[in-house]
Amino acid sequence: MTEREVNTQCGVSRRRFLRDAGVVSAAGAAVAVGAAHIDGVQAQENNQGCKSAGCDYDVVVIGGGFAGVTAARDSSKHGYKTLLLEARNRLGGRTFSSEFAGHKIELGGTWIHWTQPFVWGEVERYGLQLKETPEHHVPGKDTLSVIHEGKRIELAGKDLMSAVEGIYAYFAEARKLWERPYDAKYTWNQLSAVDAMSATDRYAQLSLTPLQRTVVDAYIAGISHTTSDKASYADVLRWWSLPGWELSQFSDSLGRYTFKNGTISLINAMIADGQPEVRLSTPVAKVEDKGDRVLITTQQGDTIVAGAVIVAVPMNVLPRIAFSPALDPALVAAAKETHTGSGMKVFVRTKGKLPVEGKYTGIADSHQPLSLVTTYAKADDHTLFACFGSDPDKLDVQDRDAVQQVFESFFPGIEVTECYSYEWTLDPYSRGTYCSYRPNWLGKYYDHFQQDRGRVIFGQGDHGEGWRGFIDGAISAGGKAAKRTQTLLG
């Protein structure tokens, strides 16, 4: 492994986490990848001549997540001498393929689906193998537990049907607000009318039962990765609209298919295809647009001259880089507010194999330590759960006893043995998880995001239309940024 994840068996301090993740002392540890391996891919030296007079590279891409890797691949294939700079000691951004308890897992972004056209197109392009989440739904044999008003309820029969009705009632306006989920401007007036609403505000317009509200709130926590009072109602409905306004398709799109060999398998395929030059452990300190060229200064003090730069870093970390001319103040304001993705994803190993053929799933409202707990994989001597919570401060995943107490509330008698997580909110090169917007953000910031300035092109996966905040949206953003760069450079 190239980074240290948080494993509760031995306990990892926050400073040790940052140090071992390669984000405290990265300065001075630049790795220029010529004939070196990147996660198993042979990345060759980019020997293309630079077309931009007086420059070291035609295109420099900042940020090695899916947006940046896509932009670098496409720019290289467009015939430009391309350099990809990544602050961490690995590529992948907010995706992170790893292993735990003998199982391949993803500590960040994971699932894809054929309703997501950009990532699915890449799967087809490279012939990558997929797999279903190891433990999927078994009709009539699953156990669904809800923590409601401090008590555990097993959802079945009429209660289950009522919960489903509550979900559809909550999302009933989605088709009107997002008739075209890839074109917000098409229904801009309708979206503007609800822009100020939080996901919680929607409850006042409905007559949900308390149990229905608890179930809906768990869904909102999964969508926004925060509590429902901080999430944008309009943005929550965007998620529901993208797969087609239907529960089973929604569930499949967000949690059924993933890469057999990890998200890194697509990153590797893209790098091998485009052959951009890659430098890891190279944070960028400054970007200066001189009108006819761009100067990029790394934290190590190196200056790189380029015809254009593509910025593909997460929105929350944008202020870490000094821009000249200065950034649009709205971008800085949004970054300081931060998007809503501030929760956690933790894998929990429990003792013994579950005594049922189906899976265990537990849900709770967005203000609970964990809002979703679901069986991920089974072995003869243990079971692995994937869990999500909206606030890392509500559950110390390094404290096995604390995790045990939460699990006991969902599944009495189950024994937690080990936990595994990555603290994205502590990583200075992400400062959060996946992006969803806050109330009022459409009106305040939408027209400011992804607006290029001179030779500085923005291709951040947090913004754009459709599946922004997903792997799919990142690939879309990176590809579009590369195309605009091609238009700029000619």
Side-chain angles (χ1 to χ4, degrees):
M1 292 175 209
T2 57
E3 297 193 25
R4 175 74 180 189
E5 302 86 28
V6 178
N7 186 314
T8 67
Q9 204 171 38
C10 57
V12 180
S13 70
R14 288 190 167 202
R15 180 163 182 80
R16 181 178 171 188
F17 160 77
L18 293 172
R19 182 199 70 202
D20 290 347
V23 295
V24 169
S25 57
V31 179
V33 180
H37 281 67
I38 305 175
D39 290 309
V41 165
Q42 187 80 8
Q44 302 297 327
E45 184 71 40
N46 187 328
N47 293 317
Q48 291 178 173
C50 186
K51 299 178 179 180
S52 304
C55 295
D56 303 312
Y57 297 90
D58 295 304
V59 180
V60 170
V61 180
I62 305 173
F66 270 101
V69 169
T70 302
R73 177 200 62 185
D74 289 2
S75 294
S76 186
K77 291 179 77 67
H78 288 160
Y80 299 118
K81 186 177 182 181
T82 303
L83 172 64
L84 175 60
L85 301 177
E86 165 56 39
R88 299 184 184 91
N89 56 10
R90 64 173 183 86
L91 295 177
R94 282 169 287 178
T95 63
F96 190 177
S97 302
S98 188
E99 290 190 8
F100 174 51
H103 304 276
K104 291 182 179 180
I105 61 169
E106 295 288 339
L107 294 167
T110 305
W111 291 284
I112 65 170
H113 193 263
W114 47 262
T115 56
Q116 300 164 358
F118 295 97
V119 67
W120 204 261
E122 300 293 344
V123 169
E124 294 295 312
R125 178 202 296 239
Y126 296 119
L128 299 178
Q129 291 183 296
L130 301 180
K131 66 177 181 180
E132 295 199 23
T133 298
E135 294 298 328
H136 52 273
H137 176 62
V138 180
K141 297 186 178 181
D142 292 346
T143 300
L144 177 57
S145 300
V146 180
I147 304 303
H148 175 61
E149 297 179 346
K151 298 179 180 179
R152 175 181 178 270
I153 298 174
E154 248 185 58
L155 272 190
K158 292 182 179 180
D159 283 341
L160 180 57
M161 291 300 297
S162 175
V164 172
E165 289 170 0
I167 292 169
Y168 276 98
Y170 185 89
F171 291 108
E173 298 293 305
R175 190 183 291 269
K176 181 178 76 173
L177 294 176
W178 292 100
E179 184 177 345
R180 298 179 182 178
Y182 283 86
D183 184 5
K185 290 294 184 178
Y186 185 75
T187 49
W188 190 252
N189 290 339
Q190 294 92 318
L191 289 169
S192 297
V194 300
D195 188 25
M197 286 179 60
S198 72
T200 299
D201 291 336
R202 170 65 169 160
Y203 295 136
Q205 301 176 345
L206 302 170
S207 299
L208 299 180
T209 68
L211 181 58
Q212 286 175 325
R213 176 168 171 164
T214 293
V215 173
V216 169
D217 216 59
Y219 273 79
I220 294 170
I223 290 172
S224 59
H225 224 192
T226 189
T227 52
S228 57
D229 58 306
K230 298 176 183 176
S232 160
Y233 168 63
D235 212 36
V236 166
L237 264 61
R238 174 180 63 92
W239 280 52
W240 180 259
S241 302
L242 282 162
W245 308 283
E246 194 271 327
L247 182 57
S248 62
Q249 190 81 309
F250 176 83
S251 299
D252 276 2
S253 295
L254 302 181
R256 185 165 183 177
Y257 302 107
T258 187
F259 296 93
K260 181 178 180 180
N261 295 309
T263 53
I264 193 63
S265 65
L266 178 51
I267 292 286
N268 288 342
M270 289 177 159
I271 293 294
D273 185 14
Q275 295 291 307
E277 185 177 337
V278 179
R279 296 186 193 177
L280 303 178
S281 300
T282 309
V284 170
K286 186 189 301 183
V287 174
E288 302 171 87
D289 187 345
K290 296 298 185 180
D292 60 344
R293 67 197 187 285
V294 184
L295 306 184
I296 302 98
T297 304
T298 70
Q299 284 189 8
Q300 292 93 329
D302 298 326
T303 298
I304 303 161
V305 184
V309 63
I310 298 175
V311 178
V313 300
M315 62 157 287
N316 285 357
V317 305
L318 201 56
R320 289 180 60 93
I321 303 173
F323 286 85
S324 178
L327 285 173
D328 180 344
L331 298 184
V332 178
K336 289 182 177 179
E337 282 187 54
T338 72
H339 59 67
T340 68
S342 56
M344 60 181 170
K345 177 182 183 181
V346 56
F347 286 88
V348 176
R349 174 178 172 166
T350 62
K351 185 176 181 180
K353 186 176 182 178
L354 291 183
V356 295
E357 183 179 344
K359 65 190 297 181
Y360 279 7
T361 298
I363 59 175
D365 69 65
S366 63
H367 295 273
Q368 300 306 311
L370 292 176
S371 298
L372 173 63
V373 176
T374 187
T375 308
Y376 183 80
K378 297 176 184 177
D380 290 338
D381 62 345
H382 69 268
T383 302
L384 200 64
F385 289 85
C387 314
F388 296 83
S390 59
D391 185 350
D393 291 335
K394 291 181 179 178
L395 179 63
D396 182 357
V397 297
Q398 300 178 51
D399 184 343
R400 192 204 66 85
D401 291 340
V403 178
Q404 173 68 51
Q405 185 176 357
V406 174
F407 258 67
E408 187 76 21
S409 67
F410 284 112
F411 314 118
I414 204 164
E415 180 180 346
V416 172
T417 60
E418 196 174 6
C419 306
Y420 207 44
S421 183
Y422 187 92
E423 297 189 63
W424 295 102
T425 55
L426 293 182
D427 184 335
Y429 302 119
S430 59
R431 292 190 63 232
T433 59
Y434 49 88
C435 173
S436 284
Y437 287 175
R438 295 181 182 275
N440 292 306
W441 269 34
L442 291 176
K444 287 168 62 176
Y445 301 130
Y446 182 86
D447 288 334
H448 297 269
F449 292 139
Q450 302 293 66
Q451 295 300 311
D452 304 332
R453 308 191 81 183
R455 292 180 176 269
V456 179
I457 310 299
F458 288 89
Q460 298 167 287
D462 291 336
H463 307 305
E465 300 282 6
W467 292 93
R468 55 177 163 79
F470 289 75
I471 295 172
D472 186 77
I475 293 171
S476 170
K480 290 176 180 178
K483 186 63 179 176
R484 297 198 304 276
T485 303
Q486 184 183 31
T487 300
L488 172 69
L489 296 180

